[in-house]
Amino acid sequence: MSLFNTTYDVIVVGGGHAGSEAAAAAANMGSQTLLITMNLQNIAQMSCNPAMGGIAKGQIVREIDALGGYSAIVTDKTAIQFKMLNKSKGPAMWSPRAQSDRMQFAECWRTMLEQTDNLDFYQDSVNGLLFEGNTIVGVKTALGLEIKAKTVIITAGTFLNGLIHIGEKTFGGGRAGEKSSTGITEDLVKFGFEAGRMKTGTPPRVDGRSLDYSKMVEQPGDENPEKFSYLPTTNTLKKQRSCYLTYTSPEVHDLLRKGFDRSPMFNGRIQSTGPRYCPSIEDKIDRFATKDRHQIFVEPEGWNTVEIYVNGFSTSLPEDVQDEAIRSIPGFENVKFFRYGYAIEYDYFPPTQLKHSLETKLVDNLFFAGQINGTTGYEEAAAQGLMAGINASLKVRGEDPFVLKRSEAYIGVLIDDLITKGTEEPYRMFTSRAEYRTLLRQDNADIRLTKKGFELGIASQERMDRVNEKIRKTDLFIEFLKNTSIKPEVINPILEKKNLALINQSIKIYKVAARPQLDLEDFFSVDYIKAFVEENDIDHEVLEQVEIHLKYSGYIEKEKQNADKLNRLEHVVIPVSFDYKKVKSLSYEAREKLTKIQPTSISQASRISGVSPSDISVLLVYMGR
């Protein structure tokens, strides 16, 4: 099949986390897909930290897996450490995180993509887009090839006119050692798109053999590690590599400040906005001047490498300043650098220019995913890539787009936030951004989303069968607990051990097990309960579902009711190109914002900054409600 005379269903531009998930989703849905990337050796490379997941990000990885994406599988296969964060809080806050082997991660991604039917690869740089009217029809490469496509997904990461800064030195690049990409921004701006600049940074990588770990605090993985994917084809870790924790000091901060006059962040050379929640070390000591120390996490880059990622020391300061300051951190006195930290500026396109499907409003069949939309993080990028891949395939088939509601997934929150509110700084997901986080837990992503992925054709029959079995066993165990009584002489010894109030008559197990101080495993000493668990093969995942139901069912039900109320407004559709200027009762700001965003429903309109409840009331009256 020649590139010169083939029209692909989907072309994916860029092979990072967004591009990889987009290509996999589109191909698995049966679309003839071409992944074009500047270097096939760097598919799904971890450009920054060697880890997946974390607060709210772990929930996103689970959601990608539930829908049939690859990120969780690759993470499990290449993990060197696993931790469930926030375990001391309620289950809505539990967030899985894994350290990965950086080299194995990229290799595993490429292997999985190469084993995906309907997916072709081509190494080249895309430097132009082909349009017919307001529809995209293909791409133009640096070698001069014009490759035709029905849909195009741009996932260019930090490569669009990327500019790397180290101290007073500046040079073009998409990341260290790789050239930037030109041409795409220029074509889009000519077409009428609004573009902006953002900044991100990365810390130094150092030689682990030169560090003194005795001066640091060891950070081992969980004693009983879990995993990301719901599939049984990946395993939990049997051995893990530790990370280490150390701290900066006032001395380190003084040494860093000495270089501020040569820092591109402070001398005006970097004008763009950096990530608020992952600031550079110089930004931290400037913004939080009263803090005399900051955490530095020392993270290994893999099983068999001595390379170390210095998490918390992201910087664009000159090399001599980085060198001198880092040597004052306990354990780093004799450090040897593999490479210095740097900042990178790149083009992005404010995401209010997109529909919920991630298709652009200005150009038909053109989709954006990842950092081009102003996000930061592998997980946010991968989620957008998955959704763009799905929706590009659906567009080719002439079917309606696939959109997740805010009450259905963190992915729904992410995309709705981007296109409804926009972002002027790199967007990062947090649990606090999700108003329905009790519903959107990491443990139930499969129950929430696998059926949707299965109906789309990207989640396998095996996934669907496993979810149905999990739901069946959960319901079975809950019914058993509701219908089975326990006598005082059986339960009181268990309660006594926990210093809890005893019972004086038989009680349903469900009622006593709901006590917050008790775990279901406390009841496994009771023969008939243990027998039920063993006979019905009740595993850890089912136990977790039942435990959460016992303790939090009231909160979950209340949140479901709140979500249902708001979802009713999703059904109050606003006609396309509705003229808000003719509704004089709307505030001036509301008319301006609504005209720019063009929300598709009253619910979306209510989430736009500057649109007040009274503006929503006016719209509801106008829509005949």
Side-chain angles (χ1 to χ4, degrees):
M1 199 159 71
S2 168
L3 288 174
F4 296 97
N5 55 20
T6 301
T7 298
Y8 280 93
D9 292 325
V10 181
I11 287 179
V12 179
V13 179
H17 295 255
S20 296
E21 284 288 6
N28 282 323
M29 286 178 69
S31 295
Q32 285 302 317
T33 305
L34 176 66
L35 175 61
I36 306 179
T37 181
M38 292 165 76
N39 189 341
L40 286 168
Q41 308 310 314
N42 293 338
I43 282 178
Q45 184 172 319
M46 293 179 135
S47 308
C48 203
N49 60 322
M52 287 291 281
I55 308 296
K57 291 167 174 276
Q59 282 88 327
I60 289 175
V61 178
R62 283 263 163 101
E63 290 178 352
I64 291 169
D65 187 67
L67 284 165
Y70 288 1
S71 286
I73 297 168
V74 175
T75 302
D76 285 347
K77 287 185 173 181
T78 60
I80 63 173
Q81 189 196 83
F82 186 96
K83 273 190 169 181
M84 187 66 77
L85 307 180
N86 280 343
K87 202 69 181 167
S88 61
K89 299 179 180 176
M93 304 298 284
W94 299 349
S95 301
R97 184 179 190 269
Q99 292 290 133
S100 289
D101 184 304
R102 185 190 298 278
M103 289 185 284
Q104 284 184 13
F105 187 92
E107 181 188 13
C108 184
W109 249 114
R110 177 163 172 175
T111 302
M112 287 190 69
L113 288 173
E114 287 183 355
Q115 291 169 354
T116 301
D117 292 339
N118 307 314
L119 180 55
D120 294 340
F121 303 86
Y122 178 56
Q123 180 170 298
D124 200 347
S125 176
V126 170
N127 62 3
L129 303 172
L130 304 174
F131 303 104
E132 283 181 7
N134 68 338
T135 302
I136 194 157
V137 293
V139 301
K140 190 167 64 180
T141 76
L143 282 177
L145 270 70
E146 292 193 351
I147 309 172
K148 297 297 179 68
K150 296 172 185 173
T151 60
V152 173
I153 305 171
I154 300 179
T155 70
T158 58
F159 281 76
L160 293 182
N161 295 316
L163 206 57
I164 290 173
H165 299 268
I166 302 179
E168 294 167 298
K169 303 181 185 76
T170 300
F171 48 94
R175 61 180 161 225
E178 294 180 67
K179 63 180 183 177
S180 59
S181 170
T182 58
I184 291 176
T185 297
E186 293 73 10
D187 276 3
L188 290 169
V189 169
K190 267 188 231 163
F191 208 96
F193 282 89
E194 177 194 347
R197 295 284 275 175
M198 277 190 178
K199 177 211 89 120
T200 189
T202 194
R205 313 306 202 267
V206 302
D207 189 334
R209 296 169 298 184
S210 64
L211 303 182
D212 183 352
Y213 293 103
S214 67
K215 295 181 178 178
M216 307 178 194
V217 181
E218 187 175 4
Q219 303 276 296
D222 287 349
E223 196 174 332
N224 297 302
E226 295 180 39
K227 62 192 188 85
F228 269 105
S229 181
Y230 291 100
L231 284 176
T233 46
T234 65
N235 300 310
T236 55
L237 287 168
K238 297 292 180 277
K239 60 173 185 168
Q240 302 184 68
R241 278 201 73 173
S242 288
C243 297
Y244 290 83
L245 174 64
T246 184
Y247 294 90
T248 61
S249 63
E251 181 192 358
V252 175
H253 299 178
D254 289 342
L255 289 168
L256 289 166
R257 283 191 192 96
K258 279 187 356 188
F260 277 14
D261 61 332
R262 291 190 287 148
S263 165
M265 275 187 57
F266 295 110
N267 64 18
R269 284 216 332 281
I270 291 180
Q271 300 277 320
S272 45
T273 312
R276 176 194 302 260
Y277 302 105
C278 189
S280 64
I281 189 69
E282 54 265 43
D283 200 18
K284 278 193 272 195
I285 61 177
D286 182 56
R287 274 168 50 194
F288 308 110
T290 54
K291 286 196 75 171
D292 59 6
R293 69 175 193 171
H294 294 283
Q295 291 180 324
I296 300 294
F297 291 96
V298 179
E299 300 178 348
E301 296 258 341
W303 288 115
N304 303 313
T305 180
V306 296
E307 190 173 352
I308 295 293
Y309 179 87
V310 189
N311 195 341
F313 204 86
S314 176
T315 183
S316 58
L317 285 164
E319 302 96 305
D320 58 313
V321 177
Q322 293 187 37
D323 197 289
E324 189 180 7
I326 207 168
R327 288 178 192 280
S328 295
I329 295 174
F332 281 78
E333 294 81 0
N334 300 306
V335 69
K336 291 180 181 178
F337 280 78
F338 274 12
R339 57 184 162 115
Y340 293 98
Y342 62 86
I344 182 164
E345 281 188 289
Y346 55 94
D347 294 338
Y348 87 104
F349 290 81
T352 49
Q353 300 172 99
L354 301 174
K355 302 172 186 175
H356 270 97
S357 61
L358 298 181
E359 184 182 16
T360 66
K361 293 174 182 174
L362 277 177
V363 178
D364 287 342
N365 301 342
L366 175 63
F367 296 77
F368 291 170
Q371 282 172 289
I372 191 172
N373 291 336
T375 58
T376 180
Y378 309 142
E379 303 82 0
E380 291 89 341
Q384 292 171 72
L386 177 79
M387 296 300 281
I390 290 168
N391 282 315
S393 279
L394 292 172
K395 191 78 194 275
V396 170
R397 293 181 194 170
E399 296 178 22
D400 290 340
F402 174 64
V403 175
L404 289 167
K405 296 202 266 296
R406 295 180 71 92
S407 56
E408 291 178 320
Y410 271 91
I411 297 173
V413 175
L414 166 69
I415 293 172
D416 187 64
D417 274 357
L418 290 174
I419 71 159
T420 302
K421 300 172 184 173
T423 186
E424 291 173 0
E425 61 185 41
Y427 177 103
R428 179 180 181 175
M429 180 52 75
F430 289 104
T431 48
S432 57
R433 295 193 192 273
E435 59 272 44
Y436 304 117
R437 55 188 170 273
T438 308
L439 303 179
L440 310 181
R441 306 182 309 276
Q442 56 83 33
D443 60 89
N444 70 350
D446 55 343
I447 294 170
R448 288 184 278 122
L449 299 174
T450 295
K451 189 179 179 202
K452 295 178 187 293
F454 180 69
E455 287 168 352
L456 287 164
I458 51 172
S460 63
Q461 182 69 53
E462 181 188 14
R463 283 188 183 277
M464 199 63 245
D465 292 344
R466 286 183 66 80
V467 174
N468 288 334
E469 187 65 356
K470 180 175 174 179
I471 295 168
R472 186 188 70 78
K473 286 182 179 178
T474 301
D475 292 344
L476 185 72
F477 197 12
I478 290 169
E479 280 306 302
F480 169 79
L481 296 174
K482 280 182 173 177
N483 296 327
T484 310
S485 298
I486 194 163
K487 293 178 178 176
E489 58 268 29
V490 176
I491 188 62
N492 281 342
I494 297 168
L495 299 176
E496 216 165 347
K497 272 185 195 169
K498 299 261 184 176
N499 292 319
L500 298 174
L502 306 182
I503 62 168
N504 52 22
Q505 60 184 33
S506 289
I507 189 172
K508 298 296 183 195
I509 304 170
Y510 185 88
K511 200 167 180 185
V512 71
R515 294 191 189 184
Q517 305 90 337
L518 291 172
D519 296 323
L520 278 173
E521 289 183 3
D522 293 327
F523 293 81
F524 286 4
S525 57
V526 180
D527 290 343
Y528 58 91
I529 297 175
K530 187 180 179 185
F532 179 88
V533 168
E534 288 174 355
E535 282 166 21
N536 291 283
D537 195 20
I538 304 291
D539 60 15
H540 167 74
E541 282 188 32
V542 174
L543 275 179
E544 192 172 54
Q545 291 304 301
V546 175
E547 193 85 66
I548 290 167
H549 176 87
L550 283 168
K551 305 288 195 291
Y552 299 95
S553 56
Y555 302 101
I556 292 167
E557 197 49 49
K558 191 174 180 185
E559 204 155 276
K560 271 184 188 162
Q561 288 168 9
N562 290 340
D564 288 343
K565 277 181 198 168
L566 206 66
N567 283 338
R568 283 178 213 138
L569 293 179
E570 291 287 357
H571 299 298
V572 185
V573 175
I574 301 174
V576 178
S577 303
F578 179 81
D579 186 1
Y580 295 97
K581 294 187 179 71
K582 68 185 180 187
V583 187
K584 302 300 180 193
S585 311
L586 288 172
S587 68
Y588 178 79
E589 185 182 7
R591 285 203 298 272
E592 198 177 60
K593 294 280 180 70
L594 289 162
T595 301
K596 183 183 178 186
I597 305 292
Q598 287 293 315
T600 56
S601 69
I602 293 289
S603 179
Q604 188 192 354
S606 72
R607 296 190 291 273
I608 297 172
S609 174
V611 177
S612 69
S614 61
D615 292 321
I616 294 301
S617 296
V618 168
L619 283 176
L620 281 168
V621 169
Y622 207 87
M623 299 290 166
R625 295 294 286 261

